Amino acid sequence: MAKLSLSSSSIFVFSLFLCFLSSSSSSDSFESYIVHVQSSHKPSLFSSHNHWHVSLLRSLPSSPQPATLLYSYSRAAHGFSARLSPLQTEALRRHPSVISIIPDQAREIHTTHTPDFLGFSQNSGLWSNSDDGEDVIIGVLDTGIWPEHPSFSDSGLGPVPSAWKGECETGPDFPASSCNRKLIGARGYYRGYFAGQVNGTKLHAAKDSRSPRDTEGHGTHTASTAAGSVVANASLYHYAQGTARGMASKARIAAYKICWSVGCYDSDILAGMDQAVADGVHVISLSVGSSGYARDFSKDSIAIGAFGATRHGVVVSCSAGNSGPGPETATNIAPWMLTVGASTVDREFSANVVTGDGKVFTGTSLYAGESLPDSQMSLPDSQISLVYSGDCGSKLCTTGELNSSLVQGKIVLCDRGGSARVEKGRAVKLAGGAGMILANTASSGEELTADSHLVPATMVGAKAGDQIRDYIKTSDSPTATINFLGTLIGPSPPSPRVAAFSSRGPNHLTPVILKPDVIAPGVNILAGWTGLVGPTDLDIDPRRVQFNIISGTSMSCPHVSGLAALLRRAHPNWSPAAVKSALVTTAYDVENSGEPLEDLATGKPSNSFIHGAGHVDPNKALNPGLVYDIEVKEYVAFLCAVGYEFPGILVFLQDPSLYDACETSKLRTAGDLNYPSFAVVFGSTGDVVKYKRVVKNVGSNVDAVYEVGVKSPANVEIDVSPSKLEFNKEKSELEYEVTFKSVVLGGGVGSVPSQEFGSIEWTDGDHVVKSPVAVQWGKGSSAQSF
């Protein structure tokens, strides 16, 4: 299971100043304020404005508890926001550096913030042109569903679509009333799982309900992301507060429970996919896949099931996997599947580390418990002694291996890896530690994933981790504290960026097909959660929440599943390939800063083997201008071209007559498949590769004229013929050929194959139809033998 987790119109109003939970008694009387200060008054002994602001708040009377910093501002404004009592407010007003104190005001925001980040608007674009996906059915194959969740309310929906053929399986914990006009069907598939248990061990009743009920949380999260109803006042504790909604909020959901506490069995997956097609779903959302290299298509039940679903006109949207940042790690890479990687959004949950030398390191956390204890050593600014776990018995903070005499009452810096991130905090707590700083190692780079920690804790990037370790090593008495700042929405740091965990290409099975196809929001995503486990999904977590924030390509997949549902509603005659094409050719590859997308694993610009065509842009996908369509027989010809033969190929075809497509196809090579992107493999200097493509005019102007623009990769010459496409009523589809010529050999003998990137785009003045070009040298044949 792939698990780790819009510019809009003015009706969407953001607030950067979100209140923490209201106090339970009037005597506390804490409120949030924005405090403007004179920046020039910052004493030089403070290394940052944040450190100074913390000091200002620490100087206030505690009455009845210390003031709490929310945010520090040092760019658009100078000052900070904080939770203050009346006594603290008055004391701060008398401070000579304070200019003004303004009460914070609540603003209406979207908590499943990705609709805003993706540019959705109620009055224009994809939402308004698709009726929010009404009557489109999304089959979510996952860990089941929590039917009582408000994200699955059917308020305002019409009757169940007449084309629906499924049912609602009942059980002791899943009565018939669990389904409604929103959750129109639910089924559970456990036989493969049950048969696979050692010695026939039975399912644990409390953990593995033999019904569609979600006992893990993952399925509820993905279903509500794809098609959750509108829910006001959603949040995880005080984080990401606002209104939650899925991508296609009026689409119907059919839940197929194919995953259990120990995993997902191929037999159960294939049964779920098979039934979903029979039931009449329009989109299958599958956040499940291999943990290692993708398997041969013919041995991959997901690829096989997806081929069958595609034959029936069903869009199959899948997660790329969380095995990044290594190359060739993407799974679910068959060309008939829509493969989705993960990106960040412009929302963060800031929890910064302040070390005793005054340095501030950016971090992230969803911790919502008691604050760090006050120091017992008379340290300044409530700093606490800091140690490195590697000096205390276990650099990975493994449970039972930390020396309690060395970590008692201290903040512990732990290295990422080896165990669950939240489990490390538990290990620190059991050893008597006061808090934790979780540091990325080089493999995760600067990617920050927020967790609902069990102790005061935050995650920092690899660079910060290195600096904090050095500080501990060189300081006689290292100290630190963690400032939990809450939710921040804004342009800094830039977004989107590609998550380090997001699995990447090149496609190790068929390198002439570019995978992943696109990226979508998958880092720190808020959506619905089960009522049976805590936000960490660990047995040690007793908490229960209605919404949870998690990360993974599991979260990015249902975003695209919902977008596919919207496109199917707006264009009911589009094939699955046309839906994919629209999303691919309208994707963008720059951050909101205007710079190229960054790979968080390296801090360097990303490329098409990492992000595919780029980040989805749903409103542009509504009207892509041209699409690259693919019929099932072309996929059959592709399979033959990469080495599948009769009778083995029948695992996909079901109908032997389809094998004739191999003889009648116009595909010269596998690279001629009418894919909306280009992946080229050269063996040596002077190699020439030719691909044919056919584009269909789906714009409103039947007489559109498109001209080509080429950005050639380094060491490659590209010629497109013809360079102009003139459509008319009789010619809505036109063919062109691309010739790629290697002019300089990339890489030396024995080196890693060289890679270069470019693009081919067609434009008529209104539309830009852009296809990425990814080139490799030294990979071998562009065909794959099976």
Side-chain angles (χ1 to χ4, degrees):
M1 174 167 31
K3 173 183 177 183
L4 261 173
S5 354
L6 274 153
S7 98
S8 67
S9 70
S10 59
I11 65 168
F12 293 102
V13 184
F14 294 90
S15 170
L16 299 182
F17 315 113
L18 302 180
C19 295
F20 279 76
L21 296 176
S22 300
S23 56
S24 58
S25 66
S26 60
S27 62
D28 290 350
S29 191
F30 271 67
E31 294 185 21
S32 296
Y33 295 89
I34 293 86
V35 182
H36 294 275
V37 299
Q38 299 182 61
S39 178
S40 61
H41 282 204
K42 181 182 75 67
S44 59
L45 63 92
F46 295 109
S47 61
S48 69
H49 285 84
N50 179 275
H51 196 198
W52 177 40
H53 300 158
V54 171
S55 178
L56 285 174
L57 291 179
R58 298 294 187 191
S59 69
L60 300 176
S62 59
S63 66
Q65 63 189 51
T68 304
L69 180 71
L70 301 182
Y71 308 107
S72 285
Y73 310 114
S74 60
R75 291 179 176 83
H78 289 283
F80 55 91
S81 59
R83 288 277 290 170
L84 304 169
S85 70
L87 182 62
Q88 291 163 348
T89 304
E90 288 307 309
L92 201 54
R93 288 187 193 279
R94 294 190 293 269
H95 197 284
S97 298
V98 173
I99 301 171
S100 65
I101 300 177
I102 302 172
D104 195 4
Q105 298 181 41
R107 312 283 178 153
E108 183 179 1
I109 65 170
H110 277 242
T111 310
T112 305
H113 173 64
T114 47
D116 293 305
F117 183 71
L118 290 168
F120 277 120
S121 168
Q122 289 284 14
N123 300 323
S124 62
L126 187 52
W127 266 354
S128 63
N129 284 274
S130 64
D131 298 322
D132 296 315
E134 188 169 10
D135 289 351
V136 177
I137 304 167
I138 303 177
V140 181
L141 279 68
D142 213 296
T143 64
I145 199 162
W146 191 259
E148 297 83 8
H149 197 280
S151 291
F152 310 126
S153 166
D154 64 357
S155 176
L157 293 178
V160 173
S162 59
W164 173 244
K165 301 179 181 67
E167 63 181 56
C168 186
E169 291 184 355
T170 62
D173 64 348
F174 209 89
S177 59
S178 299
C179 292
N180 56 22
R181 292 171 297 173
K182 179 68 172 182
L183 177 59
I184 61 174
R187 301 174 185 264
Y189 295 90
Y190 54 83
R191 295 175 186 172
Y193 164 64
F194 186 75
Q197 300 309 290
V198 178
N199 298 323
T201 302
K202 294 184 179 180
L203 287 75
H204 190 282
K207 188 66 177 175
D208 279 324
S209 170
R210 200 183 302 184
S211 81
R213 182 165 294 277
D214 180 15
T215 57
E216 304 294 313
H218 193 267
T220 299
H221 199 280
T222 56
S224 57
T225 298
S229 300
V230 178
V231 182
N233 300 317
S235 70
L236 173 62
Y237 304 120
H238 52 268
Y239 293 101
Q241 199 166 21
T243 301
R245 65 179 299 164
M247 294 296 98
S249 61
K250 291 185 180 179
R252 315 306 175 102
I253 296 171
Y256 300 85
K257 184 175 180 179
I258 48 90
C259 291
W260 308 82
S261 60
V262 298
C264 322
Y265 282 74
D266 273 357
S267 55
D268 296 331
I269 295 171
L270 195 55
M273 298 181 79
D274 190 66
Q275 189 62 57
V277 173
D279 288 346
V281 305
H282 302 102
V283 177
I284 286 176
S285 185
L286 188 65
S287 292
V288 174
S290 303
S291 58
Y293 283 118
R295 288 179 288 179
D296 181 315
F297 299 148
S298 65
K299 299 175 182 178
D300 184 346
S301 293
I302 295 177
I304 295 169
F307 189 96
T310 302
R311 287 184 61 221
H312 289 86
V314 178
V315 179
V316 182
S317 171
C318 296
S319 51
N322 301 321
S323 298
E328 299 186 341
T329 50
T331 62
N332 297 324
I333 53 177
W336 47 86
M337 304 160 81
L338 181 49
T339 311
V340 188
S343 65
T344 63
V345 297
D346 60 347
R347 179 180 65 189
E348 293 201 320
F349 307 107
S350 298
N352 297 339
V353 176
V354 182
T355 50
D357 58 357
K359 293 182 179 179
V360 180
F361 301 94
T362 300
T364 188
S365 179
L366 298 169
Y367 176 69
E370 296 181 359
S371 302
L372 281 165
D374 289 335
S375 171
Q376 303 301 312
M377 302 175 61
S378 300
L379 298 171
D381 300 325
S382 295
Q383 292 268 315
I384 296 174
S385 292
L386 173 67
V387 294
Y388 173 48
S389 59
D391 300 327
C392 303
S394 173
K395 69 177 184 179
L396 297 179
C397 288
T398 302
T399 299
E401 295 184 7
L402 289 172
N403 187 331
S404 60
S405 65
L406 298 177
V407 305
Q408 182 72 38
K410 300 174 183 177
I411 294 177
V412 183
L413 176 69
C414 299
D415 289 348
R416 185 173 175 180
S419 60
R421 298 185 296 271
V422 176
E423 179 69 31
K424 296 175 184 292
R426 176 175 180 261
V428 169
K429 183 176 183 179
L430 290 175
M436 177 182 69
I437 301 168
L438 179 59
N440 278 348
T441 54
S443 62
S444 296
E446 302 309 304
E447 168 188 279
L448 297 181
T449 303
D451 291 298
S452 185
H453 291 285
L454 299 171
V455 294
T458 188
M459 171 186 278
V460 298
K463 294 178 182 177
D466 290 342
Q467 293 181 57
I468 297 172
R469 286 188 208 93
D470 288 343
Y471 165 68
I472 294 172
K473 183 178 180 180
T474 58
S475 174
D476 292 334
S477 301
T479 63
T481 190
I482 303 172
N483 292 330
F484 297 93
L485 307 179
T487 307
L488 177 64
I489 298 173
S492 181
S495 58
R497 288 176 169 174
V498 186
F501 62 76
S502 186
S503 293
R504 296 109 193 277
N507 186 327
H508 86 98
L509 287 178
T510 50
V512 295
I513 299 297
L514 184 63
K515 290 288 182 173
D517 292 302
V518 291
I519 57 172
V523 177
N524 299 335
I525 304 301
L526 182 135
W529 198 244
T530 177
L532 284 181
V533 298
T536 63
D537 200 16
L538 296 176
D539 292 338
I540 60 174
D541 189 353
R543 301 169 296 176
R544 297 294 179 265
V545 296
Q546 193 172 65
F547 288 87
N548 198 11
I549 297 171
I550 55 177
S551 300
T553 56
S554 280
M555 285 64 256
S556 52
C557 167
H559 276 91
V560 174
S561 304
L563 300 185
L566 295 173
L567 290 171
R568 287 298 297 267
R569 172 67 179 185
H571 302 288
N573 295 324
W574 279 10
S575 69
V579 170
K580 179 197 291 186
S581 175
L583 290 166
V584 167
T585 62
T586 57
Y588 59 90
D589 56 7
V590 294
E591 301 172 348
N592 54 13
S593 65
E595 296 297 317
L597 293 174
E598 180 180 311
D599 177 10
L600 283 173
T602 63
K604 298 177 180 179
S606 178
N607 60 57
S608 295
F609 285 139
I610 298 172
H611 60 243
H615 196 280
V616 290
D617 189 333
N619 291 325
K620 287 187 177 179
L622 172 67
N623 184 17
L626 305 176
V627 295
Y628 295 80
D629 210 352
I630 304 175
E631 296 181 6
V632 172
K633 64 182 182 180
E634 294 175 75
Y635 288 127
V636 175
F638 168 84
L639 288 170
C640 293
V642 298
Y644 285 98
E645 298 178 345
F646 192 88
I649 197 173
L650 291 180
V651 69
F652 302 101
L653 308 190
Q654 301 176 36
D655 180 359
S657 65
L658 284 174
Y659 188 65
D660 293 341
C662 294
E663 300 296 328
T664 60
S665 171
K666 296 181 180 179
L667 262 68
R668 300 166 299 185
T669 66
D672 271 345
L673 183 69
N674 204 38
Y675 218 67
S677 56
F678 296 90
V680 181
V681 179
F682 289 125
S684 63
T685 304
D687 273 7
V688 175
V689 174
K690 294 186 178 184
Y691 289 162
K692 286 184 178 180
R693 291 292 189 268
V694 175
V695 285
K696 179 187 295 186
N697 181 17
V698 294
S700 58
N701 181 12
V702 296
D703 297 318
V705 177
Y706 282 80
E707 295 188 359
V708 74
V710 175
K711 181 180 178 182
S712 293
N715 305 330
V716 178
E717 292 179 355
I718 296 179
D719 178 69
V720 179
S721 179
S723 60
K724 180 184 292 187
L725 299 175
E726 300 183 46
F727 295 91
N728 56 48
K729 189 175 181 180
E730 287 73 34
K731 293 183 178 181
S732 61
E733 294 185 357
L734 293 174
E735 180 179 281
Y736 68 92
E737 183 176 67
V738 186
T739 301
F740 303 91
K741 182 178 181 181
S742 170
V743 293
V744 175
L745 178 63
V749 177
S751 67
V752 175
S754 174
Q755 302 171 354
E756 297 291 350
F757 305 92
S759 63
I760 295 172
E761 63 181 43
W762 294 92
T763 181
D764 64 348
D766 293 324
H767 307 90
V768 176
V769 187
K770 184 177 179 180
S771 296
V773 175
V775 178
Q776 300 180 77
W777 284 263
K779 185 67 178 179
S781 172
S782 62
Q784 181 77 23
S785 297
F786 295 95

